[in-house]
Amino acid sequence: MIRPMFGHRAKPKKFDMPLRYYDPEVDEKRKRRIRLKSAYNRNRHRSQNIRVIVYALGLALVIWIIAVL
């Protein structure tokens, strides 16, 4: 806390990144896996919306039946 008052600054940490080489096969596998995951999440989201609508319609039907009687 006192160091910045005397002109000392925090130094960035040194980073030594390992070298990587581009492999098109691995990239293609990763793209396919991402596509499958996104398709699964999209279908799951739609089914949840349908479920909520069905519950809302069922609740409305019950309230309507109670109001009529």
Side-chain angles (χ1 to χ4, degrees):
M1 191 163 155
I2 295 177
R3 286 187 129 193
M5 294 186 337
F6 296 109
H8 293 279
R9 289 184 169 219
K11 295 179 182 173
K13 292 184 178 181
K14 294 183 179 179
F15 180 71
D16 188 22
M17 184 170 170
L19 296 175
R20 293 184 180 181
Y21 298 98
Y22 178 69
D23 188 6
E25 292 177 10
V26 173
D27 192 36
E28 188 62 33
K29 287 179 185 178
R30 188 175 293 140
K31 282 182 182 178
R32 272 190 255 126
R33 188 172 59 224
I34 290 172
R35 256 186 248 132
L36 288 175
K37 284 183 181 178
S38 65
Y40 172 73
N41 289 339
R42 186 170 38 246
N43 290 339
R44 184 174 166 195
H45 183 67
R46 288 179 185 159
S47 66
Q48 287 176 346
N49 286 341
I50 292 171
R51 190 177 306 144
V52 169
I53 291 172
V54 168
Y55 286 146
L57 289 174
L59 181 63
L61 181 67
V62 169
I63 292 173
W64 181 72
I65 289 173
I66 291 174
V68 170
L69 295 177

